[in-house]
Amino acid sequence: MVPAALVSFCLNVTCAVLVGMRARASPQGRALVRVCLAQAAVVAGFLVESSLGSLHGRVIADGAQLALDGLLTAEYVNLALAYARRPHRPWLVRCFGLPAVGAAGVIVTSGAHRLVRGQATLQGGRLTYPFEVVDYVGFAAMMSLVCVAIAILVSATLRERGSRRVDGVALVACVSAPLVGGFLALLGLEVGGERDNTPLLVGVTAAGATVTFLRSRSMALGALARELVVDRLREAVIVVDDDQRVVDWNPTAERLVSPLELGAPLERAWRERLLGAQSSFAEGERVWEVSRTPVESGWLVVARDVTELTRQVEARTAALEEAAARLRAIFDNAHQFLGLLDAEGRVLAANRAALEFAGVREEDVLGRPFRETVWWDRHGRELLDPALEQARRGRFARFETVHEVGERRAEIDFTLSPAVHDGRVAFLVPEGRDITALREAERERARLGEERSRSERLELLGRLAAGVAHDFNNLLAVVGCSVDLLAEEASLSGEGRQTLLDIRETMESGASLTRQLLAFSRQNRLGEPVVEEVDAVVARSMGMLRRLLGDAIDLEMALSGGPVLIVPGQLEQCIMNLVVNARDASQPGGRVAIVTKVQRSERLSGREVVLEVVDVGSGMTEEVLARALDPFFSTKAPGKGTGLGLATVARIAAEAGGYVTIESKVGEGTRVAVHLPLHEGDGGAE
């Protein structure tokens, strides 16, 4: 038996060294090392007992092995727990090993061993003694602990599959071997001439468990990888079977999902979080992201703590949203019409100014070809298409166009800019600047410049006319004196007198033209303004007006005017000029109406007196109406008009603080109204 015990001792020591070198970092490896060392100690105790020659020494050595047996059975349980992935239980060693050590100490250090080993004898070099009650009780206690280890192994093995189940079966057999040897010894049966075969059986246990451990992926590299990688992961890793029962987990999972029990189903709340359709969940202040991977007959669930990442993403998202909001605010609050197109010319965005101009919403134009949107008509597309093609080739395009959307019309300075990314045109940026006001200002400047030039010409012409009028008036004075002298001659015949009357009439016409020229040039100031009743002036002029119109044209009057402050004679001149123009525009059988009234003024402060001369003649076109008040502008045949009639009326009205309005329509007639401030004082200037 001693040679076999030596072999067993060497096997246990060798296995402990081998396992310690290969997998001392794994819980299973450390548990197996402790088992092998405990078994080696038991075999060493047997060898020490066998080497003693006295009965007394061998009885003491046999009692000392009680402590080693207690430690060994406790390590069997820890090995089973390691295989089942349950935590190491040091209290097992304390509960079962230390009492055994104490009992052995009592036996060794006192004569108490004689009470239970009084019948011990040496037969053929072997220690023999009948078993007492204390032996049966101690054997039962240690074998019960071995049975617990076997039960743990069997339970864990039944939950495993494949090669790991085979490993479990092998470990059950290895741990059961000392139990079988103990039962044989208890029954008094001898194997190979030996009643106690435990030293040999523990060698078999060590060899079998070591081979199983080293060949098993789960007990060697898998366990090492688990401890070095899986168990240290910050992610929570949980394995469940198809029935949603927990098969395995790492420490992070145990901290997250508590409690976890092997073989027990997950709680409903955790089942919904880990195995449901949601990709993340919140636990307290932490956010976890869940991934699920199907494995053989179950699921591998990994929950990753993404709280910090989520906060960073939220912060980055908030920053991007804020930046986007700022850019959108700039985009939308720009007065220019801005947009964004893809490389094919489809609308990706449009700013508020462009949308409000067209009266559309952004969703009405998004995704549509830019050329087909409401901003472009047929003429605009003819300009836009070449610009789009030019921008697609990476070149800037610009043109001016007119946008007409509904009742809105705008002159647009349009540009199309390519946005290049990675060497290719990724986007097109259309921009339209409303230059309507600018162009109108330019046209207004041109008009004002033209009017200024015309005013300067008219000023020069007025000076020339004033000089000519003065000279002509002097000539008329001479002619008038001559006519008066000739008219005093008694010998003058009737025909001669008629000739003088014709000369006098012609002279008066010339004098009237002179007065108009002087009034136009502001060189003729006939006196200070006085208060005159407009209706009275019209009534005094009635005879002259009827002679001007003749019998072919009717004259109508509706007088309800009031007093005005004006230079004497100028009101009569206005009436005569307007009636003459009305006569010239009328056909025989026509009608001319003179209307006076008092009304609230829209342009003057207070009330105004309106003198209207209305005809039903040929009327004026818009072009003629626009120039009707221009000096020397006339539509009459050469020699029939001077072009100063309406210009003189406008000048007299302006000097009196009023203005002139004209309404005319071709074929329907003309209405000319002189608006003068109503005089509400007691008298005029003297």
Side-chain angles (χ1 to χ4, degrees):
M1 187 62 182
V2 173
L6 287 173
V7 172
S8 177
F9 176 80
C10 294
L11 277 175
N12 278 283
V13 173
T14 302
C15 290
V17 173
L18 185 60
V19 172
M21 293 175 60
R22 294 288 299 275
R24 63 179 180 275
S26 68
Q28 296 91 341
R30 290 194 297 270
L32 184 55
V33 168
R34 289 194 298 270
V35 167
C36 291
L37 292 177
Q39 291 182 152
V42 170
V43 176
F46 175 79
L47 291 174
V48 169
E49 176 194 342
S50 300
S51 65
L52 297 175
S54 65
L55 176 63
H56 179 70
R58 298 190 70 171
V59 168
I60 292 176
D62 182 72
Q65 291 184 62
L66 179 63
L68 300 177
D69 291 337
L71 293 173
L72 176 60
T73 52
E75 293 301 337
Y76 281 154
V77 175
N78 279 324
L79 177 63
L81 291 173
Y83 173 79
R85 299 192 188 93
R86 294 187 179 181
H88 177 66
R89 309 294 185 187
W91 56 267
L92 286 173
V93 177
R94 292 193 292 269
C95 291
F96 291 92
L98 295 181
V101 172
V106 171
I107 294 173
V108 172
T109 59
S110 70
H113 63 279
R114 296 187 179 88
L115 299 177
V116 294
R117 296 293 181 263
Q119 301 180 16
T121 60
L122 286 174
Q123 298 179 2
R126 294 181 302 170
L127 178 65
T128 60
Y129 51 84
F131 284 171
E132 301 293 341
V133 175
V134 68
D135 295 304
Y136 290 108
V137 172
F139 176 81
M142 288 185 288
M143 291 304 105
S144 296
L145 198 57
V146 174
C147 289
V148 169
I150 294 173
I152 294 173
L153 287 171
V154 170
S155 176
T157 300
L158 293 176
R159 291 194 300 269
E160 300 294 346
R161 295 174 179 82
S163 61
R164 185 163 172 80
R165 175 171 286 187
V166 174
D167 297 340
V169 172
L171 284 177
V172 169
C174 293
V175 174
S176 300
L179 180 63
V180 173
F183 272 112
L184 293 178
L186 186 63
L187 296 175
L189 300 177
E190 295 184 0
V191 178
E194 294 290 340
R195 186 177 71 172
D196 186 7
N197 291 282
T198 301
L200 178 60
L201 293 175
V202 295
V204 174
T205 298
T210 301
V211 171
T212 300
F213 177 79
L214 294 179
R215 66 165 293 275
S216 170
R217 209 173 157 192
S218 62
M219 294 284 284
L221 295 178
L224 179 62
R226 175 190 175 89
E227 176 150 340
L228 294 179
V229 181
V230 178
D231 286 353
R232 299 184 184 181
L233 287 177
R234 295 183 178 179
E235 290 81 359
V237 181
I238 301 177
V239 180
V240 297
D241 60 17
D242 290 334
D243 296 326
Q244 299 181 352
R245 291 188 302 242
V246 179
V247 175
D248 198 4
W249 63 88
N250 70 342
T252 305
E254 189 169 15
R255 289 191 295 271
L256 174 64
V257 185
S258 181
L260 280 175
E261 185 176 351
L262 192 65
L266 285 169
E267 294 182 358
R268 180 177 179 180
W270 285 107
R271 189 163 60 248
E272 292 177 354
R273 292 176 175 180
L274 299 176
L275 300 176
Q278 60 189 18
S279 60
S280 63
F281 66 89
E283 175 65 14
E285 297 181 354
R286 314 301 294 179
V287 179
W288 296 81
E289 183 182 66
V290 182
S291 63
R292 306 167 188 88
T293 305
V295 295
E296 183 181 356
S297 302
W299 291 87
L300 173 66
V301 181
V302 179
R304 180 187 178 196
D305 187 351
V306 294
T307 305
E308 295 302 323
L309 178 61
T310 302
R311 290 173 181 169
Q312 294 174 5
V313 170
E314 290 176 350
R316 181 60 175 166
T317 301
L320 291 176
E321 289 177 351
E322 183 180 354
R326 288 197 299 267
L327 292 177
R328 186 72 196 194
I330 297 172
F331 184 68
D332 276 340
N333 287 283
H335 294 295
Q336 289 85 0
F337 304 148
L338 296 175
L340 184 66
L341 314 178
D342 62 14
E344 301 301 321
R346 289 184 292 269
V347 179
L348 300 178
N351 75 337
R352 186 183 305 157
L355 296 173
E356 289 179 352
F357 175 78
V360 296
R361 298 172 302 174
E362 191 171 29
E363 52 265 30
D364 297 332
V365 297
L366 290 182
R368 294 185 58 189
F370 186 47
R371 67 183 307 276
E372 297 178 7
T373 57
V374 68
W375 291 292
W376 301 98
D377 56 12
R378 182 184 59 81
H379 174 68
R381 293 189 190 102
E382 292 177 355
L383 298 173
L384 177 64
D385 289 341
L388 283 171
E389 188 62 30
Q390 182 174 336
R392 289 191 188 102
R393 292 196 296 267
R395 291 186 294 174
F396 176 81
R398 183 175 186 174
F399 61 86
E400 290 187 12
T401 183
V402 176
H403 280 295
E404 294 186 4
V405 180
E407 297 181 355
R408 300 196 60 181
R409 180 183 184 278
E411 297 181 50
I412 303 297
D413 177 16
F414 181 80
T415 62
L416 197 60
S417 306
V420 180
H421 180 69
D422 290 338
R424 64 181 184 85
V425 176
F427 303 102
L428 304 177
V429 181
E431 179 180 357
R433 188 164 62 96
D434 188 348
I435 58 172
T436 306
L438 177 63
R439 291 292 179 260
E440 289 179 351
E442 291 176 351
R443 287 191 289 268
E444 181 66 15
R445 284 197 298 271
R447 186 186 67 81
L448 291 175
E450 183 180 351
E451 287 188 357
R452 180 181 178 183
S453 176
R454 185 174 62 182
S455 176
E456 291 174 349
R457 292 197 302 269
L458 288 176
E459 184 70 23
L460 292 174
L461 185 59
R463 292 177 182 177
L464 176 62
V468 172
H470 278 294
D471 294 341
F472 188 60
N473 196 42
N474 292 334
L475 294 174
L476 289 176
V478 174
V479 172
C481 291
S482 299
V483 169
D484 292 339
L485 291 173
L486 289 173
E488 293 178 355
E489 291 291 333
S491 60
L492 190 63
S493 65
E495 184 178 355
R497 290 185 180 279
Q498 183 61 44
T499 301
L500 289 176
L501 291 176
D502 292 339
I503 293 172
R504 167 65 67 179
E505 184 178 350
T506 303
M507 183 193 69
E508 290 178 353
S509 298
S512 175
L513 177 60
T514 301
R515 285 194 298 271
Q516 290 188 38
L517 285 171
L518 291 174
F520 167 73
S521 64
R522 295 184 179 181
Q523 298 294 319
N524 187 22
R525 186 72 171 183
L526 300 179
E528 295 297 327
V530 298
V531 177
E532 289 194 326
E533 286 286 343
V534 175
D535 294 350
V537 175
V538 175
R540 288 198 307 267
S541 305
M542 183 65 66
M544 180 185 65
L545 297 177
R546 289 192 183 278
R547 288 194 299 271
L548 286 174
L549 293 175
D551 297 332
I553 299 175
D554 294 333
L555 177 62
E556 298 178 356
M557 293 188 184
L559 306 179
S560 59
V564 296
L565 191 64
I566 193 167
V567 174
Q570 287 188 343
L571 193 56
E572 291 90 336
Q573 187 174 1
C574 289
I575 296 171
M576 184 184 66
N577 288 358
L578 295 178
V579 171
V580 169
N581 283 345
R583 180 199 65 185
D584 294 342
S586 300
Q587 298 294 328
R591 176 177 56 85
V592 175
I594 299 177
V595 180
T596 63
K597 56 186 177 181
V598 178
Q599 66 182 24
R600 176 66 60 183
S601 177
E602 296 180 356
R603 292 173 56 178
L604 304 177
S605 60
R607 295 187 296 169
E608 65 183 8
V609 177
V610 182
L611 169 65
E612 295 181 351
V613 176
V614 184
D615 66 68
V616 290
S618 58
M620 291 182 282
T621 64
E622 292 184 1
E623 291 77 9
V624 173
L625 185 61
R627 300 188 60 190
L629 298 179
D630 290 351
F632 305 106
F633 174 76
S634 177
T635 59
K636 297 177 183 179
K640 297 292 183 179
T642 62
L644 292 175
L646 288 176
T648 301
V649 172
R651 180 64 58 85
I652 291 173
E655 289 180 352
Y659 60 95
V660 175
T661 59
I662 304 176
E663 298 176 7
S664 184
K665 187 174 291 186
V666 176
E668 295 184 8
T670 302
R671 177 190 303 269
V672 181
V674 180
H675 302 257
L676 300 174
L678 176 67
H679 180 74
E680 299 179 353
D682 295 332
E686 296 296 339

